[in-house]
């Protein structure tokens, strides 16, 4: 798939509209960059604001770091996973994954074992206490998501979802 998204064919008018919108949003009269209107910066700020709003759920109530929460969320959706697979699913680097897993393991939330075919690879899973914690956090996380999206209409939520998928596909 190419960077234009979808089926790879945006068309000239779509490309032109995209360029014009970017130029309007980012250029000042002197041809400089207005950071407050620059899409990547605005998106990064919004992502940070959302992340901090969600962090209130797991940080204050459950004493988890962002990285631990992401690993817990991935582990909650499966029986076990290789540590090398966690990073790409959570946007965490290898060291962040390692620290998060160690933190969860030290608190009895997760356990690690060596892969049976490759002793260098570690497999991580939630302990029964970790599963219970995951089940306890999920309703709070979903409620926070609902609160955040309440600022939008149902149609805006659908459009936002489509736009996020389209941009993600275009960058893959």
């Amino acid at each position: 798939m190419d960077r234009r998204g979808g089926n790879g064919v945006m068309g000239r008018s779509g490309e032109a509209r995209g360029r014009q919108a970017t130029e309007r949003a980012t250029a000042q009269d002197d041809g400089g960059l207005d950071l407050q209107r620059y899409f990547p910066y605005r998106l990064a700020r919004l992502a940070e604001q959302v992340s901090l709003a969600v962090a209130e759920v797991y940080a204050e109530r459950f004493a988890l770091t962002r990285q631990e929460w992401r690993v817990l969320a991935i582990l909650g959706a499966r029986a076990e996973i290789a540590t090398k697979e966690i990073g790409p699913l959570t946007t965490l680097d290898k060291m962040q994954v390692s620290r998060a897993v160690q933190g969860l393991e030290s608190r009895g939330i997760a356990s690690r074992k060596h892969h049976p075919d490759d002793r260098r690879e570690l497999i991580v899973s939630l302990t029964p206490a970790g599963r219970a914690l995951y089940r306890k956090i999920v309703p709070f996380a979903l409620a926070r998501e609902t609160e955040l999206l309440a600022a939008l209409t149902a149609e805006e939520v659908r459009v936002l979802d489509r736009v996020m998928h389209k941009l993600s596909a275009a960058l893959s």
Side-chain angles (χ1 to χ4, degrees):
M1 187 174 302
D2 71 14
R3 293 182 50 95
R4 290 174 289 196
N7 60 10
V9 180
M10 180 184 275
R12 290 185 197 174
S13 63
E15 290 173 358
R17 281 194 308 272
R19 275 195 308 275
Q20 290 169 351
T22 301
E23 289 167 3
R24 280 194 309 274
T26 60
Q28 293 179 337
D29 292 337
D30 63 0
L33 177 77
D34 180 354
L35 187 61
Q36 300 305 314
R37 296 178 68 192
Y38 184 58
F39 171 72
Y41 174 74
R42 292 172 58 210
L43 188 59
R45 277 193 54 166
L46 178 59
E48 181 66 12
Q49 289 173 304
V50 169
S51 187
L52 290 172
V54 174
E56 293 172 4
V57 169
Y58 56 78
E60 293 174 11
R61 289 185 178 104
F62 303 102
L64 293 170
T65 66
R66 267 190 226 192
Q67 293 81 10
E68 289 170 341
W69 160 245
R70 289 180 186 175
V71 171
L72 177 69
I74 290 298
L75 293 173
R78 48 187 46 84
E80 61 184 26
I81 187 171
T83 54
K84 68 181 178 186
E85 295 176 33
I86 296 173
L89 296 171
T90 60
T91 70
L92 299 175
D93 65 36
K94 188 176 180 179
M95 186 58 70
Q96 290 172 314
V97 170
S98 178
R99 286 188 191 128
V101 170
Q102 286 174 358
L104 294 173
E105 186 177 38
S106 71
R107 292 173 37 212
I109 295 168
S111 64
R112 293 183 286 183
K113 64 182 179 184
H114 289 283
H115 191 285
D117 298 330
D118 183 355
R119 303 264 317 144
R120 295 169 298 172
E121 182 59 50
L122 292 172
I123 304 297
V124 185
S125 60
L126 290 179
T127 63
R131 285 262 163 234
L133 177 62
Y134 175 76
R135 284 192 302 273
K136 192 172 181 181
I137 292 176
V138 167
F140 289 105
L142 294 175
R144 177 61 82 179
E145 177 188 42
T146 299
E147 290 171 16
L148 292 169
L149 293 175
L152 305 175
T153 66
E155 178 58 22
E156 288 170 333
V157 171
R158 286 189 291 274
V159 168
L160 177 61
D161 187 58
R162 284 194 311 268
V163 167
M164 288 179 8
H165 281 291
K166 191 171 187 177
L167 285 172
S168 183
L171 296 170
S172 296

